[in-house]
Amino acid sequence: MAHNDCLQDVPDIFENEIGESLLARTEGLGMIREIGPPDLCHIVKIHTPSRSEPDIGSYHHVLGVDTSTSASLAAYINSLQYSLSETQGWFGSGSNWKIASGTYCTYNAFSNVDLRVQVKIPGGVDAYIVTPTGDRKEVTEDLWKECHVSSLLRAILYADPTAYSVTGLRRMTPVASPREETKFVEAIVEQFWNGWALGSNAETQVASTARNFLVDGLMRYFSGEGRYADCAAEILAPLAYAPLGGQQSSSRASAEFKGIDPEVAALLAETYMKGDEEVQAVRVMHQALKVKSSCYPLLATQAEFLRRKKCPDAALTVARMAVKYAPSEFQAWAKLTEIYLEAGDYQRAMLTLNSCPMYTFVDHDYPRVPTPRRINFPVKSDVLADYDLGEQGTGTMPPNSRASLDMDGPGLIEEMALNENSTILRLSAPTLRCTFARVYKFLTEIVSTIGWDELLLLRSQVFVMEEEYRNSAVPSAAVDDEDLAEDDDEHLPLSALRERHTAELSRTSEGEPSADVPLPSTTDAVDTATTEETSTVDAGAQAINEDPVADPELNSAAEPAAEAVAEPATEPEPPAAASASASEEPGKGKKKNKKNKGKKSKENLKAEIPPPTEPPAVTDATNDGDTSAASIVAIGDQMDVISLSDTDHGEAKEPESQQPQSDIDGGPQLTEQLSAPQTAVFETAPIEPTPAPEHLPISGGDEESLVTKPEEPSDIIRKRLCERWLDNLIMILFDDLRMYTSWRSRMHNLRATGQPVTYRYTQAEWEALGDLALRLRRPSEAREAYEYALAIRFSARAWQRLLEMHSGVYTSMQQEEQRRHEGVPELMPLTSNDSLMQALDAVVWLSVYHDRWYNNMAYPNPVCEQLIKLINIHGLSKVRNSMVSMNLKPAVFNMVKKYFEVAEKFNVRGSKW
């Protein structure tokens, strides 16, 4: 049903009660977390011929309107008067509805208030602000400036329709001419030092002078056009040296800066590097590092510069310093991970990812509005006559596409039913945001380089697997209570056995003062080990990061009986244990029988504590604790356990007394002691022998077999507990790979048997498969999926991805795919005419689509940004002439023409030829 109370070219959302949208906006002011929702334009319409019709309230959302003065806002409301639908009459046309009043609302993100301008037609203009508590206050000049900058930032950061979409949103160009850009730059510079009050994006923990939404909007505006030199010269360079000019406040003393702001200098150096002015970038970084060498944005920029210059060692050193000075910032850890991946050190890359601080994703601010009575989306039928943007048809088929309309596809209703049960559309990877999406991208890079099997192997080498943790983290808890006998000593827990053994050692030392008497320090160490074992068990997963060989004396005093527990009765003993049994003295048979008696119950612990496959290495007592560490690593290699440590351990204390050779060979005191693991990762500690007396020296051959040389600490890596979120991301990656493999197998079978392909998946599924291939770094297959999606129905997302492929966004990914995989089709050169014409075809379709949904923003716009890249490659004259050769209708050509005007006005690279 047609209504003549609607606007012609602007979306109209009708209220149930006049003013309810304003009331809902006021109530939601206290819930705004970032730079605020889009502006709200509310109008009240009256029926002029007769006042019998009730007044109507409607509204729509706006981005890009000039909010620097009340006059510009009043002019926008007044312009809506000419958009009302006209009614045809006998003597002309006219509208029976008029706009009686209007209210324009824009959010001030600096002061957290809502500025509103109320216009009465005819009448006056009233401007005021509304606080989150609903109070009404006067507007000052500073508030107007802040509102202007806030509105510009929203228009720039919310420019991508796929990333930010609101019902009834109208987009307009925020900066349409160089004169307006000068005004924009002045406003940004004036509010620059207050940008931290806006907050920061989801990948930044603490907003700062150089890490906030104001800087994000500034860099987004100039980077889209490739005008890095203008950004550096007009804005960042004056701001970096602003303290010398006396522009800082009293709280920012010039002594703090010494001539340059380090954080802004990092931005300036980064802009110089992107603009191919590396000499200037090095000079700026040199000056800033002399001021503050611990500035992590500056260190991250320096690490990126060294990485580009193929200096991985220096880049790694600087990136580690950035992590040291900013351990809670994700950006520093991400830069370190990039350097590790480029160097091929995937183990430390995985450990770095596991240590990254992950932030909860905070979505953008969306308007809170009540349920509308009805919504009107006017359509420009004269433009859409030849462009089907939603109905099923063949007009959206891209040129030179490999897809074909081989059969009649399902209708919209049937397709929606298929999508509801589709497993492709239920993948979890597209829902990842913020830091989780960034880490997932790193994982896909690792898989594309080394493969899925190697990633699983790498995961088992770096992280503690579930079986390992269950078997060794809390060994005493692994014994089932049902298998314990109350009156049988052999079923006692490990800690109780250790305590009893300590008491027996004490009684033996009192009654038999001989060479078999254990060292005094050994008994104390057993008591200490018993106490520390209990604390280790209680600590749980925290013990995973502790050093298992921090106290060699403690480890050596509590080991051999643990080996007795770990060894099954039917498994042959290691050579060292066998020699200990052979050299056992006759007077020690009682303890040996007791040990054999308890083997049945100790077999229950076999699955919980894996036995060593090689005898523990015995070292000389004069060596320090690093020798024990090397022995643990030698045994850990057989157990698939990596011991990680980058620091040297403390030296072990020399024993106060010496012990005969029989004890070294496996005396009863050492053979029957129990040792609990000192960390959550099970590691079999080597036997720490006591040196023999001078009258019983160790033979040369035995000494060589017992002494193990320590390894370098830099080559040792400790296993860590894998964070739950990282484990979930690996499982999400597995789901993606499983779906990708199923898709490619089905495609191969269909083509091998000559069956039709296009309608084997729905249009939404083809889009999802294209995104899946892009996530897995297979752009050639992603392009194929997007073309099949367009063969079924129009898809703005598919057209946008194809445009990005033809403008060079995925060039490096495509080259990488060709190097690593066989059978990949040859790349179409970006400088070829075919690539240009396909890109322009995508530009036309996307321009019509954006105009249909009230996106009149020329720049910043995803389509305009990609078209500027084409101009950088081919030149403005060639691109424009190619567009003219397509013989478009004047209305359609005017939609694309505004992008060429932006390139000319702002003098982008390639606009002169």
Side-chain angles (χ1 to χ4, degrees):
M1 178 180 178
H3 300 274
N4 60 357
D5 56 354
C6 304
L7 301 177
Q8 290 181 345
D9 53 357
V10 179
D12 231 354
I13 306 175
F14 290 86
E15 299 176 312
N16 296 301
E17 297 181 2
I18 297 178
E20 63 179 3
S21 60
L22 297 175
L23 181 60
R25 184 179 178 91
T26 303
E27 294 175 351
L29 290 178
M31 304 178 186
I32 295 177
R33 296 161 294 187
E34 294 184 349
I35 57 177
D39 299 346
L40 176 69
C41 182
H42 178 270
I43 56 177
V44 177
K45 307 169 190 174
I46 59 175
H47 194 264
T48 52
S50 63
R51 298 306 300 271
S52 59
E53 295 285 343
D55 297 345
I56 298 176
S58 64
Y59 62 92
H60 63 274
H61 304 284
V62 193
L63 285 175
V65 176
D66 183 12
T67 60
S68 58
T69 60
S70 59
S72 60
L73 299 181
Y76 175 78
I77 294 176
N78 187 59
S79 65
L80 299 178
Q81 184 74 35
Y82 304 100
S83 298
L84 286 173
S85 300
E86 296 182 353
T87 303
Q88 296 294 329
W90 288 100
F91 301 100
S93 61
S95 177
N96 295 329
W97 292 88
K98 301 292 183 183
I99 298 178
S101 63
T103 304
Y104 194 95
C105 309
T106 178
Y107 184 73
N108 184 344
F110 292 92
S111 301
N112 298 325
V113 295
D114 200 38
L115 189 147
R116 299 182 181 181
V117 175
Q118 187 174 4
V119 180
K120 296 181 180 179
I121 304 174
V125 178
D126 184 19
Y128 58 93
I129 62 173
V130 177
T131 63
T133 58
D135 300 333
R136 180 169 173 169
K137 296 183 179 180
E138 295 293 331
V139 184
T140 62
E141 186 65 24
D142 293 338
L143 291 177
W144 277 112
K145 295 179 180 179
E146 293 175 354
C147 281
H148 179 48
V149 175
S150 300
S151 178
L152 288 172
L153 293 178
R154 283 192 294 270
I156 295 172
L157 296 178
Y158 297 164
D160 189 357
T162 59
Y164 189 86
S165 178
V166 174
T167 302
L169 177 60
R170 182 186 187 188
R171 288 181 168 90
M172 304 178 67
T173 306
V175 181
S177 64
R179 180 179 178 182
E180 294 183 6
E181 185 182 88
T182 302
K183 184 179 178 181
F184 163 70
V185 170
E186 293 175 353
I188 289 290
V189 170
E190 186 175 356
Q191 300 295 332
F192 185 85
W193 300 111
N194 299 326
W196 60 269
L198 300 176
S200 58
N201 57 31
E203 293 186 1
T204 304
Q205 176 72 5
V206 179
S208 62
T209 304
R211 306 277 175 169
N212 53 65
F213 283 117
L214 188 144
V215 174
D216 293 345
L218 178 66
M219 299 305 295
R220 166 72 188 278
Y221 178 82
F222 284 97
S223 63
E225 295 176 327
R227 300 166 54 205
Y228 297 105
D230 295 342
C231 179
E234 297 178 8
I235 301 178
L236 295 180
L239 288 172
Y241 297 92
L244 288 180
Q247 194 167 343
Q248 76 276 13
S249 61
S250 59
S251 61
R252 304 174 67 88
S254 59
E256 178 185 356
F257 299 105
K258 298 180 181 179
I260 190 171
D261 188 301
E263 293 190 4
V264 183
L267 278 177
L268 180 59
E270 182 180 354
T271 306
Y272 277 138
M273 285 191 296
K274 292 180 179 179
D276 295 332
E277 298 184 17
E278 296 180 348
V279 176
Q280 295 289 345
V282 172
R283 182 180 293 111
V284 170
M285 287 189 292
H286 173 69
Q287 295 175 356
L289 285 172
K290 291 193 298 184
V291 176
K292 187 177 180 181
S293 59
S294 61
C295 178
Y296 98 89
L298 193 59
L299 293 173
T301 304
Q302 185 183 11
E304 176 63 20
F305 175 78
L306 293 172
R307 187 186 67 84
R308 292 183 179 183
K309 291 303 177 182
K310 306 300 180 183
C311 301
D313 296 336
L316 181 60
T317 302
V318 177
R320 285 176 174 173
M321 293 175 61
V323 171
K324 175 183 177 181
Y325 290 124
S328 63
E329 290 293 340
F330 175 82
Q331 299 285 358
W333 292 90
K335 183 60 63 179
L336 181 60
T337 304
E338 290 179 7
I339 296 174
Y340 276 136
L341 291 179
E342 188 166 331
D345 193 349
Y346 300 108
Q347 285 192 351
R348 283 186 168 81
M350 291 293 292
L351 289 174
T352 305
L353 289 178
N354 193 56
S355 303
C356 284
M358 306 301 289
Y359 311 142
T360 303
F361 174 67
V362 178
D363 203 357
H364 297 299
D365 294 315
Y366 287 89
R368 302 173 182 270
V369 293
T371 303
R373 180 161 58 97
R374 58 186 173 92
I375 304 177
N376 178 56
F377 294 125
V379 179
K380 299 178 181 179
S381 58
D382 55 338
V383 174
L384 299 179
D386 299 330
Y387 295 88
D388 185 3
L389 299 181
E391 297 296 331
Q392 182 173 338
T394 63
T396 60
M397 187 77 173
N400 302 327
S401 174
R402 287 171 289 177
S404 61
L405 295 177
D406 37 42
M407 61 178 293
D408 293 333
L412 292 177
I413 303 301
E414 293 81 357
E415 185 173 335
M416 292 176 62
L418 293 174
N419 290 338
E420 290 180 357
N421 301 323
S422 174
T423 56
I424 302 176
L425 301 179
R426 290 201 297 266
L427 292 174
S428 301
T431 63
L432 296 176
R433 297 291 184 273
C434 181
T435 53
F436 297 96
R438 189 86 175 272
V439 172
Y440 183 82
K441 183 180 179 182
F442 287 139
L443 292 177
T444 57
E445 291 181 8
I446 295 175
V447 168
S448 64
T449 304
I450 65 176
W452 172 252
D453 294 336
E454 293 296 329
L455 176 63
L456 293 182
L457 179 61
L458 180 67
R459 177 193 179 200
S460 64
Q461 293 174 350
V462 174
F463 300 124
V464 181
M465 307 316 300
E466 181 180 359
E467 189 70 17
E468 295 174 345
Y469 181 74
R470 186 173 64 251
N471 290 349
S472 59
V474 190
S476 61
V479 181
D480 193 353
D481 294 339
E482 297 179 358
D483 296 336
L484 295 179
E486 297 179 357
D487 299 332
D488 196 351
D489 294 344
E490 65 188 27
H491 294 289
L492 289 176
L494 185 60
S495 58
L497 291 175
R498 293 174 59 120
E499 292 176 359
R500 174 165 297 186
H501 185 69
T502 303
E504 292 176 358
L505 289 177
S506 301
R507 289 195 300 269
T508 303
S509 61
E510 293 176 0
E512 299 180 9
S514 61
D516 294 333
V517 175
L519 301 177
S521 60
T522 304
T523 305
D524 298 337
V526 172
D527 296 335
T528 307
T530 303
T531 305
E532 292 201 359
E533 182 226 5
T534 305
S535 62
T536 304
V537 172
D538 294 339
Q542 293 181 357
I544 192 66
N545 294 324
E546 298 296 330
D547 195 349
V549 291
D551 192 348
E553 182 179 357
L554 184 148
N555 291 337
S556 64
E559 291 158 357
E563 297 174 11
V565 173
E567 296 169 1
T570 60
E571 186 172 344
E573 292 181 333
S579 63
S581 301
S583 62
E584 186 175 355
E585 297 182 1
K588 305 302 179 182
K590 181 179 179 180
K591 292 184 180 181
K592 181 67 178 178
N593 294 334
K594 185 176 180 179
K595 172 183 176 183
N596 294 333
K597 179 182 177 181
K599 279 190 176 181
K600 181 178 180 181
S601 63
K602 292 166 187 174
E603 286 179 359
N604 297 330
L605 293 176
K606 173 186 175 183
E608 308 301 325
I609 305 178
T613 57
E614 290 187 1
V618 182
T619 59
D620 193 1
T622 58
N623 295 339
D624 56 12
D626 287 340
T627 306
S628 291
S631 304
I632 291 178
V633 174
I635 300 173
D637 292 339
Q638 301 297 330
M639 302 171 56
D640 195 21
V641 174
I642 301 177
S643 179
L644 271 197
S645 177
D646 292 334
T647 59
D648 294 336
H649 306 295
E651 296 184 355
K653 297 180 181 179
E654 296 184 358
E656 297 178 1
S657 62
Q658 295 179 341
Q659 202 168 352
Q661 177 67 22
S662 60
D663 292 342
I664 299 178
D665 294 336
Q669 287 85 358
L670 291 177
T671 305
E672 300 171 8
Q673 293 176 4
L674 293 176
S675 128
Q678 300 299 317
T679 64
V681 182
F682 179 78
E683 295 177 319
T684 304
I687 299 177
E688 185 80 4
T690 9
E694 295 181 359
H695 63 278
L696 291 174
I698 302 177
S699 61
D702 295 337
E703 186 176 3
E704 291 180 359
S705 63
L706 295 178
V707 177
T708 303
K709 294 182 180 180
E711 297 182 4
E712 292 297 330
S714 59
D715 297 333
I716 301 174
I717 299 180
R718 182 199 303 266
K719 271 195 171 185
R720 308 290 174 85
L721 284 177
C722 183
E723 294 289 344
R724 185 182 297 273
W725 59 265
L726 182 57
D727 196 54
N728 291 339
L729 289 181
I730 295 176
M731 296 306 299
I732 291 175
L733 179 58
F734 169 74
D735 291 338
D736 275 2
L737 291 172
R738 178 176 55 83
M739 186 58 63
Y740 170 81
T741 305
S742 174
W743 168 43
R744 298 314 301 174
S745 299
R746 187 177 184 185
M747 291 288 292
H748 177 75
N749 294 334
L750 290 175
R751 288 172 176 169
T753 56
Q755 300 181 40
V757 176
T758 304
Y759 289 101
R760 292 297 176 178
Y761 297 97
T762 65
Q763 190 261 355
E765 288 177 335
W766 279 119
E767 276 189 51
L769 290 174
D771 295 340
L772 171 63
L774 273 186
R775 288 197 302 271
L776 299 180
R777 307 181 70 82
R778 303 298 293 265
S780 62
E781 296 167 356
R783 176 180 177 179
E784 178 186 17
Y786 291 136
E787 289 176 350
Y788 279 118
L790 292 175
I792 299 176
R793 192 179 302 107
F794 173 84
S795 171
R797 186 181 188 87
W799 275 120
Q800 184 66 36
R801 293 295 176 266
L802 291 176
L803 176 59
E804 292 172 355
M805 290 180 183
H806 291 299
S807 62
V809 175
Y810 301 106
T811 299
S812 60
M813 190 183 298
Q814 291 171 340
Q815 295 173 352
E816 175 186 345
E817 182 187 16
Q818 282 192 328
R819 289 195 307 266
R820 294 176 179 171
H821 306 285
E822 298 180 356
V824 178
E826 292 293 332
L827 290 176
M828 183 182 297
L830 297 179
T831 56
S832 64
N833 292 332
D834 293 339
S835 176
L836 176 60
M837 296 306 297
Q838 293 184 24
L840 292 180
D841 194 26
V843 169
V844 171
W845 277 97
L846 290 172
S847 299
V848 174
Y849 172 78
H850 287 168
D851 183 77
R852 165 66 183 91
W853 296 107
Y854 321 108
N855 186 356
N856 300 321
M857 183 182 295
Y859 183 84
N861 186 303
V863 179
C864 184
E865 292 174 357
Q866 303 307 319
L867 186 60
I868 288 176
K869 292 180 180 179
L870 294 175
I871 293 174
N872 296 336
I873 298 173
H874 301 275
L876 178 60
S877 299
K878 181 178 179 180
V879 176
R880 179 184 290 167
N881 293 336
S882 299
M883 183 65 70
V884 172
S885 65
M886 298 176 67
N887 296 324
L888 302 174
K889 289 186 176 181
V892 178
F893 182 78
N894 290 334
M895 296 178 188
V896 185
K897 182 175 145 183
K898 60 185 177 183
Y899 303 138
F900 297 130
E901 294 175 353
V902 170
E904 283 183 322
K905 290 179 181 178
F906 297 101
N907 194 22
V908 301
R909 184 167 61 91
S911 61
K912 299 299 183 181
W913 46 280

